[in-house]
Amino acid sequence: MNYQSGNEYLHDMPLILAGPMLQHTEPESVTVWIALQQACQVELKVYDTTNNGTVLGDSLFQGRRSTIALGKSLHIVAVTARSLDMYRLRSDRIYAYDLQFIDQTDQTQQTLQQALCCNRFPTVNISYFAHQKPTFVLPPNNLQDLRIVHGSCRKPHGHGFDTLPILDCLIEETASQPRQRPHQLFLTGDQIYGDDVAEPLLWVSSMLGDALLGWEERLPVTQKQPGDVAYYTPKQLPPGDRADVVTHQGGFTAGLDNKRAKVVSHLLSLGEYYASYLLIWSPVCWPNAFPQGREMMRTRKATRQWDQQVQNLRQFIHTLWKVRRALANIPMYSIFDDHDVSDDWNLNQAWCLRVLGQPLGQRAVQNALLAYAVSQAWGNTPWQFEAEQSGEKLLAAAHKWSASQGTDTAAYEAIARYVGMPPNNAHTGLPEFVPDGSVLVLDRHPEALTWHYTVRSNCHEVIVLDTRTWRGYPAEQKPTAPPMLLCPQTFERQLSVPLQQASGIPATMVIAPTNVFGLKVIDKIHHWQLQRDKVFATDVGDAWNINSKALAKFLTTLFEQRQKIVVLSGDIHYSSAVRLSFAGTSGNLATQSVLVQLTSSAMKNEETITRILHTRLKHWLLPEKVRHWIGWLNPPNMVEQRAKKSHRAQMKPDWNCALEWIPRQNIQTPNFGDRISWLKTPRQTAKNEKWQWLQQLMFWKYPWFQDGREVVGVNNLGLVHFELTDTNNSYKVMQDSYWFSCWYPTQIVYSRFESQLLPNQSLLPIEMNLRA
């Protein structure tokens, strides 16, 4: 392939570059997202099926929408189909869908199968049935039949095997069983990595991005001297050479604290962010061949790293066909976390001033948010992109920006307005903040898109939080002070209002991209780093419990409306389950409640420390103990109970709570988990066979040693389900964390976390303890 020529780069590719991906799906409508290389009108039809999904029935829903031209060779649409006669889809039935593509130039038509295939991809399978149509099921009526999959942190060149392909196995195993089949997928953050990009991945993203746009973006930089350059193009910032520009011109903090390697290939251009989404979800746009390290890098170390990263990427690409098929057959919802833009995104006020006050930093953040809007948010909340809505106005502005090859200032300003970029002060050049009680919030236009949303069915509701763009920064503290992850006004919008909109729903889930509760040792490290003002080293401020007032407000807001809460979270590269038992004494809190936090992370980004936590060493050396807090309502606050007295110890608390870690059960192997053949590339298989005798000597890989008790610290994917118990007709919630075994890598296993959805009475004292 010639990566300098967009036409040649895309010549051998099919019409469909990525997708189809099933997104927001409910009884009244079905939305499918797709990326094409030509402008088309896309027709979506939804069909009934019989015989457990094997036979297509009548067409029930129809919808049409034209693609939006985001570049010369990038045309995206999220098309929604609805019933013309008020028909509603039902639970416990398998439905299928099909797509037709009408070329807007010559009116020729292609079927879905034709649009998927080309000389390079002569056969593409995105179905589990002989009729070759993607299928799906709606959530069931009974909670005990509900199956929710979630995960986060999927870095293409991260260590270990990608676990998102396991979703394909889960669907394939139960494709004809609507009650057993996974019903929804929630990606809880870091779907792409704007920072910490492998050099070969940036090489592909940059060339693909320019090919998709059909033009080269001029990335603005600050001219300190009259003779300094005013802009860079992506080609002028090659892989491995972006650290200085990203850190000093963009202001990004990922390169601070000896983390320079995280930014040497940082994404910056709009084309690069667009390309990243196509590359993580589809095998189509990846090249057949990568150059060797010695052709691209200047030092031996960099050459070896390039070649190793290429091997990691080849493994990632090898299983992308399973990811593509899975995402076509399950409703997928997502929310961003920091890496979808850049490490530390909006971490604190200092980050906002440092990055959004720089032309390059502001441009990169806006590019990332625009790419997120068209690649993820459109499918999450399709109603925001209908006629006359902010999303449709954003799409029009994005089209004009690209059509002008990045010169239409009005279009650029419109994009900033609709993605919620704060305006910059005319005198200081710094982003504007507005007060919200005792905190400051980034200013935004009233027409800006909202990233939070709620998904409901007959048996559950999922409240998806935006904890990145509505942070409350303390007005009277230094700029590096930990923020409220939700400012006061958005507690009402994102939590109180959705909770008040429905009642009597058996299960309430909340998507919190950053953990509410984490390992105690991590809390101690965060507080220690905060005292040293080293907040960017370990993302101090991203965990809810680093700001006690915000955490107290979060808990009491939830428990005023619900007594049973399940939080789904990611971010921290391990899987775990914790249960918080809560007891209040006044008002709406005069009852006992429970919150179970289920964490699933990372899908592909395990680290040395998490692999150690995964083993029995963690439980032996540093076990998690029960923790207790007392709290107050006005003003909201909470204090962990310790031996020493607190300055508020004499004030009668309004509530108390206790946190316990739920141990994971013994490892099990699913029916589809033994000796899987699709996982390894031929080169990896040969290497494994060569050194297989050595595996038997590695005692730390033995199943017994790997069977830790507190976390799953290797790449994993979580499946959440419920079971009705005999205790007061209540439920218990379970998370099966699937991962690839260390002792036999071509084997899938899972560890189960199981918790009653009832508070632990033994941890809640009858009399409130007044000593903190």
Side-chain angles (χ1 to χ4, degrees), residues 602-627:
M603 286 187 287
K604 194 179 192 301
N605 200 12
E606 66 187 48
E607 301 168 295
T608 300
I609 184 63
T610 62
R611 288 195 292 265
I612 294 173
L613 295 175
H614 178 80
T615 68
R616 290 179 178 265
L617 278 177
K618 166 66 172 65
H619 182 65
W620 290 341
L621 302 178
L622 203 64
E624 294 296 318
K625 299 179 180 179
V626 176
R627 301 171 68 178

PDB file of all heavy atoms in Angstrom, residues 602-627:
ATOM      1  N   ALA A 602      -8.962  -4.246  32.865  1.00  0.00           N
ATOM      2  CA  ALA A 602      -9.026  -3.646  31.541  1.00  0.00           C
ATOM      3  C   ALA A 602      -9.350  -4.741  30.521  1.00  0.00           C
ATOM      4  O   ALA A 602      -9.018  -5.911  30.729  1.00  0.00           O
ATOM      5  CB  ALA A 602      -7.676  -3.037  31.193  1.00  0.00           C
ATOM      6  N   MET A 603      -9.983  -4.352  29.405  1.00  0.00           N
ATOM      7  CA  MET A 603     -10.196  -5.316  28.340  1.00  0.00           C
ATOM      8  C   MET A 603      -8.876  -5.665  27.656  1.00  0.00           C
ATOM      9  O   MET A 603      -8.674  -6.796  27.231  1.00  0.00           O
ATOM     10  CB  MET A 603     -11.201  -4.761  27.323  1.00  0.00           C
ATOM     11  CG  MET A 603     -12.624  -4.762  27.824  1.00  0.00           C
ATOM     12  SD  MET A 603     -13.821  -4.304  26.560  1.00  0.00           S
ATOM     13  CE  MET A 603     -13.515  -2.552  26.428  1.00  0.00           C
ATOM     14  N   LYS A 604      -8.004  -4.676  27.544  1.00  0.00           N
ATOM     15  CA  LYS A 604      -6.661  -4.942  27.009  1.00  0.00           C
ATOM     16  C   LYS A 604      -5.697  -3.870  27.492  1.00  0.00           C
ATOM     17  O   LYS A 604      -5.460  -2.873  26.812  1.00  0.00           O
ATOM     18  CB  LYS A 604      -6.648  -5.002  25.480  1.00  0.00           C
ATOM     19  CG  LYS A 604      -5.343  -5.607  24.907  1.00  0.00           C
ATOM     20  CD  LYS A 604      -5.361  -5.673  23.401  1.00  0.00           C
ATOM     21  CE  LYS A 604      -4.202  -6.526  22.860  1.00  0.00           C
ATOM     22  NZ  LYS A 604      -2.884  -6.035  23.246  1.00  0.00           N
ATOM     23  N   ASN A 605      -5.181  -4.036  28.669  1.00  0.00           N
ATOM     24  CA  ASN A 605      -4.177  -3.106  29.194  1.00  0.00           C
ATOM     25  C   ASN A 605      -3.704  -3.550  30.563  1.00  0.00           C
ATOM     26  O   ASN A 605      -3.525  -2.740  31.470  1.00  0.00           O
ATOM     27  CB  ASN A 605      -4.731  -1.677  29.275  1.00  0.00           C
ATOM     28  CG  ASN A 605      -3.618  -0.631  29.332  1.00  0.00           C
ATOM     29  OD1 ASN A 605      -2.450  -0.938  29.102  1.00  0.00           O
ATOM     30  ND2 ASN A 605      -3.976   0.599  29.639  1.00  0.00           N
ATOM     31  N   GLU A 606      -3.508  -4.844  30.740  1.00  0.00           N
ATOM     32  CA  GLU A 606      -3.015  -5.327  32.034  1.00  0.00           C
ATOM     33  C   GLU A 606      -1.599  -4.839  32.260  1.00  0.00           C
ATOM     34  O   GLU A 606      -0.853  -4.575  31.322  1.00  0.00           O
ATOM     35  CB  GLU A 606      -3.084  -6.849  32.097  1.00  0.00           C
ATOM     36  CG  GLU A 606      -2.143  -7.557  31.130  1.00  0.00           C
ATOM     37  CD  GLU A 606      -2.363  -9.059  31.109  1.00  0.00           C
ATOM     38  OE1 GLU A 606      -3.530  -9.501  31.008  1.00  0.00           O
ATOM     39  OE2 GLU A 606      -1.367  -9.791  31.173  1.00  0.00           O
ATOM     40  N   GLU A 607      -1.233  -4.699  33.538  1.00  0.00           N
ATOM     41  CA  GLU A 607       0.074  -4.176  33.905  1.00  0.00           C
ATOM     42  C   GLU A 607       0.740  -5.125  34.901  1.00  0.00           C
ATOM     43  O   GLU A 607       0.083  -5.996  35.471  1.00  0.00           O
ATOM     44  CB  GLU A 607      -0.082  -2.780  34.514  1.00  0.00           C
ATOM     45  CG  GLU A 607      -0.756  -1.782  33.579  1.00  0.00           C
ATOM     46  CD  GLU A 607      -1.168  -0.511  34.288  1.00  0.00           C
ATOM     47  OE1 GLU A 607      -2.044  -0.575  35.167  1.00  0.00           O
ATOM     48  OE2 GLU A 607      -0.603   0.540  33.957  1.00  0.00           O
ATOM     49  N   THR A 608       2.013  -4.924  35.124  1.00  0.00           N
ATOM     50  CA  THR A 608       2.748  -5.789  36.055  1.00  0.00           C
ATOM     51  C   THR A 608       2.108  -5.761  37.434  1.00  0.00           C
ATOM     52  O   THR A 608       1.893  -6.803  38.066  1.00  0.00           O
ATOM     53  CB  THR A 608       4.215  -5.351  36.150  1.00  0.00           C
ATOM     54  OG1 THR A 608       4.826  -5.432  34.857  1.00  0.00           O
ATOM     55  CG2 THR A 608       4.975  -6.240  37.117  1.00  0.00           C
ATOM     56  N   ILE A 609       1.739  -4.570  37.919  1.00  0.00           N
ATOM     57  CA  ILE A 609       1.171  -4.462  39.256  1.00  0.00           C
ATOM     58  C   ILE A 609      -0.184  -5.161  39.337  1.00  0.00           C
ATOM     59  O   ILE A 609      -0.499  -5.818  40.329  1.00  0.00           O
ATOM     60  CB  ILE A 609       1.055  -2.975  39.684  1.00  0.00           C
ATOM     61  CG1 ILE A 609       0.549  -2.876  41.125  1.00  0.00           C
ATOM     62  CG2 ILE A 609       0.163  -2.205  38.743  1.00  0.00           C
ATOM     63  CD1 ILE A 609       1.459  -3.483  42.146  1.00  0.00           C
ATOM     64  N   THR A 610      -1.003  -5.057  38.288  1.00  0.00           N
ATOM     65  CA  THR A 610      -2.308  -5.726  38.342  1.00  0.00           C
ATOM     66  C   THR A 610      -2.159  -7.237  38.226  1.00  0.00           C
ATOM     67  O   THR A 610      -2.968  -7.979  38.795  1.00  0.00           O
ATOM     68  CB  THR A 610      -3.236  -5.202  37.239  1.00  0.00           C
ATOM     69  OG1 THR A 610      -2.681  -5.482  35.946  1.00  0.00           O
ATOM     70  CG2 THR A 610      -3.457  -3.708  37.375  1.00  0.00           C
ATOM     71  N   ARG A 611      -1.140  -7.697  37.505  1.00  0.00           N
ATOM     72  CA  ARG A 611      -0.912  -9.142  37.431  1.00  0.00           C
ATOM     73  C   ARG A 611      -0.493  -9.690  38.792  1.00  0.00           C
ATOM     74  O   ARG A 611      -0.796 -10.831  39.133  1.00  0.00           O
ATOM     75  CB  ARG A 611       0.136  -9.453  36.362  1.00  0.00           C
ATOM     76  CG  ARG A 611      -0.369  -9.258  34.940  1.00  0.00           C
ATOM     77  CD  ARG A 611       0.550  -9.899  33.921  1.00  0.00           C
ATOM     78  NE  ARG A 611       1.828  -9.241  33.840  1.00  0.00           N
ATOM     79  CZ  ARG A 611       2.128  -8.290  32.946  1.00  0.00           C
ATOM     80  NH1 ARG A 611       1.219  -7.907  32.062  1.00  0.00           N
ATOM     81  NH2 ARG A 611       3.319  -7.724  32.911  1.00  0.00           N
ATOM     82  N   ILE A 612       0.212  -8.884  39.578  1.00  0.00           N
ATOM     83  CA  ILE A 612       0.576  -9.297  40.940  1.00  0.00           C
ATOM     84  C   ILE A 612      -0.662  -9.300  41.837  1.00  0.00           C
ATOM     85  O   ILE A 612      -0.887 -10.235  42.616  1.00  0.00           O
ATOM     86  CB  ILE A 612       1.661  -8.360  41.507  1.00  0.00           C
ATOM     87  CG1 ILE A 612       2.967  -8.529  40.716  1.00  0.00           C
ATOM     88  CG2 ILE A 612       1.898  -8.644  42.988  1.00  0.00           C
ATOM     89  CD1 ILE A 612       4.046  -7.540  41.089  1.00  0.00           C
ATOM     90  N   LEU A 613      -1.493  -8.257  41.717  1.00  0.00           N
ATOM     91  CA  LEU A 613      -2.728  -8.190  42.496  1.00  0.00           C
ATOM     92  C   LEU A 613      -3.640  -9.370  42.191  1.00  0.00           C
ATOM     93  O   LEU A 613      -4.422  -9.811  43.044  1.00  0.00           O
ATOM     94  CB  LEU A 613      -3.473  -6.887  42.200  1.00  0.00           C
ATOM     95  CG  LEU A 613      -2.803  -5.577  42.620  1.00  0.00           C
ATOM     96  CD1 LEU A 613      -3.627  -4.403  42.143  1.00  0.00           C
ATOM     97  CD2 LEU A 613      -2.606  -5.522  44.126  1.00  0.00           C
ATOM     98  N   HIS A 614      -3.541  -9.891  40.981  1.00  0.00           N
ATOM     99  CA  HIS A 614      -4.376 -10.994  40.534  1.00  0.00           C
ATOM    100  C   HIS A 614      -4.093 -12.286  41.292  1.00  0.00           C
ATOM    101  O   HIS A 614      -4.965 -13.140  41.435  1.00  0.00           O
ATOM    102  CB  HIS A 614      -4.136 -11.188  39.033  1.00  0.00           C
ATOM    103  CG  HIS A 614      -4.883 -12.321  38.417  1.00  0.00           C
ATOM    104  ND1 HIS A 614      -6.208 -12.226  38.060  1.00  0.00           N
ATOM    105  CD2 HIS A 614      -4.493 -13.589  38.095  1.00  0.00           C
ATOM    106  CE1 HIS A 614      -6.607 -13.363  37.522  1.00  0.00           C
ATOM    107  NE2 HIS A 614      -5.584 -14.211  37.538  1.00  0.00           N
ATOM    108  N   THR A 615      -2.894 -12.432  41.787  1.00  0.00           N
ATOM    109  CA  THR A 615      -2.481 -13.681  42.433  1.00  0.00           C
ATOM    110  C   THR A 615      -2.828 -13.677  43.926  1.00  0.00           C
ATOM    111  O   THR A 615      -3.353 -12.713  44.463  1.00  0.00           O
ATOM    112  CB  THR A 615      -0.966 -13.887  42.276  1.00  0.00           C
ATOM    113  OG1 THR A 615      -0.274 -12.887  43.053  1.00  0.00           O
ATOM    114  CG2 THR A 615      -0.551 -13.767  40.814  1.00  0.00           C
ATOM    115  N   ARG A 616      -2.491 -14.784  44.585  1.00  0.00           N
ATOM    116  CA  ARG A 616      -2.747 -14.893  46.023  1.00  0.00           C
ATOM    117  C   ARG A 616      -1.827 -13.999  46.849  1.00  0.00           C
ATOM    118  O   ARG A 616      -2.064 -13.806  48.047  1.00  0.00           O
ATOM    119  CB  ARG A 616      -2.590 -16.351  46.466  1.00  0.00           C
ATOM    120  CG  ARG A 616      -3.699 -17.261  45.939  1.00  0.00           C
ATOM    121  CD  ARG A 616      -3.512 -18.698  46.364  1.00  0.00           C
ATOM    122  NE  ARG A 616      -4.602 -19.543  45.900  1.00  0.00           N
ATOM    123  CZ  ARG A 616      -5.676 -19.852  46.622  1.00  0.00           C
ATOM    124  NH1 ARG A 616      -5.790 -19.392  47.858  1.00  0.00           N
ATOM    125  NH2 ARG A 616      -6.621 -20.627  46.137  1.00  0.00           N
ATOM    126  N   LEU A 617      -0.772 -13.444  46.241  1.00  0.00           N
ATOM    127  CA  LEU A 617       0.140 -12.582  46.987  1.00  0.00           C
ATOM    128  C   LEU A 617      -0.582 -11.401  47.608  1.00  0.00           C
ATOM    129  O   LEU A 617      -0.305 -11.010  48.742  1.00  0.00           O
ATOM    130  CB  LEU A 617       1.260 -12.078  46.071  1.00  0.00           C
ATOM    131  CG  LEU A 617       2.445 -13.009  45.827  1.00  0.00           C
ATOM    132  CD1 LEU A 617       3.408 -12.370  44.846  1.00  0.00           C
ATOM    133  CD2 LEU A 617       3.143 -13.343  47.138  1.00  0.00           C
ATOM    134  N   LYS A 618      -1.506 -10.799  46.847  1.00  0.00           N
ATOM    135  CA  LYS A 618      -2.212  -9.609  47.352  1.00  0.00           C
ATOM    136  C   LYS A 618      -2.950  -9.938  48.645  1.00  0.00           C
ATOM    137  O   LYS A 618      -2.865  -9.201  49.636  1.00  0.00           O
ATOM    138  CB  LYS A 618      -3.182  -9.107  46.272  1.00  0.00           C
ATOM    139  CG  LYS A 618      -4.214  -8.088  46.768  1.00  0.00           C
ATOM    140  CD  LYS A 618      -3.553  -6.780  47.193  1.00  0.00           C
ATOM    141  CE  LYS A 618      -4.587  -5.707  47.500  1.00  0.00           C
ATOM    142  NZ  LYS A 618      -5.435  -6.000  48.644  1.00  0.00           N
ATOM    143  N   HIS A 619      -3.676 -11.003  48.662  1.00  0.00           N
ATOM    144  CA  HIS A 619      -4.460 -11.360  49.845  1.00  0.00           C
ATOM    145  C   HIS A 619      -3.550 -11.753  51.009  1.00  0.00           C
ATOM    146  O   HIS A 619      -3.873 -11.483  52.172  1.00  0.00           O
ATOM    147  CB  HIS A 619      -5.418 -12.500  49.510  1.00  0.00           C
ATOM    148  CG  HIS A 619      -6.306 -12.900  50.641  1.00  0.00           C
ATOM    149  ND1 HIS A 619      -7.264 -12.060  51.166  1.00  0.00           N
ATOM    150  CD2 HIS A 619      -6.368 -14.048  51.371  1.00  0.00           C
ATOM    151  CE1 HIS A 619      -7.891 -12.670  52.147  1.00  0.00           C
ATOM    152  NE2 HIS A 619      -7.374 -13.871  52.304  1.00  0.00           N
ATOM    153  N   TRP A 620      -2.421 -12.370  50.694  1.00  0.00           N
ATOM    154  CA  TRP A 620      -1.490 -12.763  51.754  1.00  0.00           C
ATOM    155  C   TRP A 620      -0.823 -11.547  52.407  1.00  0.00           C
ATOM    156  O   TRP A 620      -0.699 -11.476  53.620  1.00  0.00           O
ATOM    157  CB  TRP A 620      -0.415 -13.679  51.187  1.00  0.00           C
ATOM    158  CG  TRP A 620      -0.883 -15.041  50.799  1.00  0.00           C
ATOM    159  CD1 TRP A 620      -2.024 -15.669  51.214  1.00  0.00           C
ATOM    160  CD2 TRP A 620      -0.221 -15.942  49.914  1.00  0.00           C
ATOM    161  NE1 TRP A 620      -2.123 -16.909  50.642  1.00  0.00           N
ATOM    162  CE2 TRP A 620      -1.028 -17.117  49.832  1.00  0.00           C
ATOM    163  CE3 TRP A 620       0.941 -15.897  49.172  1.00  0.00           C
ATOM    164  CZ2 TRP A 620      -0.677 -18.211  49.045  1.00  0.00           C
ATOM    165  CZ3 TRP A 620       1.302 -16.987  48.385  1.00  0.00           C
ATOM    166  CH2 TRP A 620       0.495 -18.126  48.319  1.00  0.00           C
ATOM    167  N   LEU A 621      -0.353 -10.635  51.585  1.00  0.00           N
ATOM    168  CA  LEU A 621       0.500  -9.549  52.071  1.00  0.00           C
ATOM    169  C   LEU A 621      -0.271  -8.286  52.443  1.00  0.00           C
ATOM    170  O   LEU A 621       0.133  -7.559  53.345  1.00  0.00           O
ATOM    171  CB  LEU A 621       1.561  -9.207  51.013  1.00  0.00           C
ATOM    172  CG  LEU A 621       2.472 -10.358  50.594  1.00  0.00           C
ATOM    173  CD1 LEU A 621       3.443  -9.886  49.515  1.00  0.00           C
ATOM    174  CD2 LEU A 621       3.242 -10.902  51.801  1.00  0.00           C
ATOM    175  N   LEU A 622      -1.354  -7.997  51.723  1.00  0.00           N
ATOM    176  CA  LEU A 622      -2.043  -6.731  51.941  1.00  0.00           C
ATOM    177  C   LEU A 622      -3.549  -6.916  51.741  1.00  0.00           C
ATOM    178  O   LEU A 622      -4.138  -6.366  50.814  1.00  0.00           O
ATOM    179  CB  LEU A 622      -1.501  -5.669  50.969  1.00  0.00           C
ATOM    180  CG  LEU A 622      -1.681  -4.207  51.359  1.00  0.00           C
ATOM    181  CD1 LEU A 622      -0.889  -3.903  52.629  1.00  0.00           C
ATOM    182  CD2 LEU A 622      -1.222  -3.296  50.228  1.00  0.00           C
ATOM    183  N   PRO A 623      -4.202  -7.672  52.599  1.00  0.00           N
ATOM    184  CA  PRO A 623      -5.637  -7.932  52.415  1.00  0.00           C
ATOM    185  C   PRO A 623      -6.484  -6.678  52.651  1.00  0.00           C
ATOM    186  O   PRO A 623      -6.128  -5.819  53.461  1.00  0.00           O
ATOM    187  CB  PRO A 623      -5.929  -9.009  53.462  1.00  0.00           C
ATOM    188  CG  PRO A 623      -4.906  -8.779  54.529  1.00  0.00           C
ATOM    189  CD  PRO A 623      -3.666  -8.320  53.820  1.00  0.00           C
ATOM    190  N   GLU A 624      -7.595  -6.605  51.946  1.00  0.00           N
ATOM    191  CA  GLU A 624      -8.533  -5.498  52.135  1.00  0.00           C
ATOM    192  C   GLU A 624      -9.402  -5.780  53.353  1.00  0.00           C
ATOM    193  O   GLU A 624     -10.018  -6.840  53.456  1.00  0.00           O
ATOM    194  CB  GLU A 624      -9.398  -5.323  50.892  1.00  0.00           C
ATOM    195  CG  GLU A 624      -8.639  -4.879  49.658  1.00  0.00           C
ATOM    196  CD  GLU A 624      -8.024  -3.496  49.804  1.00  0.00           C
ATOM    197  OE1 GLU A 624      -8.707  -2.591  50.357  1.00  0.00           O
ATOM    198  OE2 GLU A 624      -6.872  -3.318  49.373  1.00  0.00           O
ATOM    199  N   LYS A 625      -9.473  -4.820  54.268  1.00  0.00           N
ATOM    200  CA  LYS A 625     -10.274  -4.956  55.473  1.00  0.00           C
ATOM    201  C   LYS A 625     -11.545  -4.115  55.364  1.00  0.00           C
ATOM    202  O   LYS A 625     -11.640  -3.220  54.531  1.00  0.00           O
ATOM    203  CB  LYS A 625      -9.454  -4.531  56.693  1.00  0.00           C
ATOM    204  CG  LYS A 625      -8.209  -5.381  56.911  1.00  0.00           C
ATOM    205  CD  LYS A 625      -7.424  -4.907  58.129  1.00  0.00           C
ATOM    206  CE  LYS A 625      -6.177  -5.767  58.342  1.00  0.00           C
ATOM    207  NZ  LYS A 625      -5.398  -5.299  59.518  1.00  0.00           N
ATOM    208  N   VAL A 626     -12.496  -4.420  56.210  1.00  0.00           N
ATOM    209  CA  VAL A 626     -13.740  -3.658  56.234  1.00  0.00           C
ATOM    210  C   VAL A 626     -13.427  -2.215  56.654  1.00  0.00           C
ATOM    211  O   VAL A 626     -12.662  -1.978  57.589  1.00  0.00           O
ATOM    212  CB  VAL A 626     -14.756  -4.292  57.208  1.00  0.00           C
ATOM    213  CG1 VAL A 626     -16.017  -3.426  57.297  1.00  0.00           C
ATOM    214  CG2 VAL A 626     -15.112  -5.700  56.752  1.00  0.00           C
ATOM    215  N   ARG A 627     -14.045  -1.268  55.953  1.00  0.00           N
ATOM    216  CA  ARG A 627     -13.860   0.151  56.259  1.00  0.00           C
ATOM    217  C   ARG A 627     -15.209   0.758  56.653  1.00  0.00           C
ATOM    218  O   ARG A 627     -16.256   0.376  56.127  1.00  0.00           O
ATOM    219  CB  ARG A 627     -13.265   0.896  55.054  1.00  0.00           C
ATOM    220  CG  ARG A 627     -11.924   0.339  54.626  1.00  0.00           C
ATOM    221  CD  ARG A 627     -11.458   0.941  53.301  1.00  0.00           C
ATOM    222  NE  ARG A 627     -11.135   2.356  53.413  1.00  0.00           N
ATOM    223  CZ  ARG A 627     -10.674   3.087  52.402  1.00  0.00           C
ATOM    224  NH1 ARG A 627     -10.526   2.539  51.197  1.00  0.00           N
ATOM    225  NH2 ARG A 627     -10.381   4.372  52.560  1.00  0.00           N
TER     226      ARG A 627
END
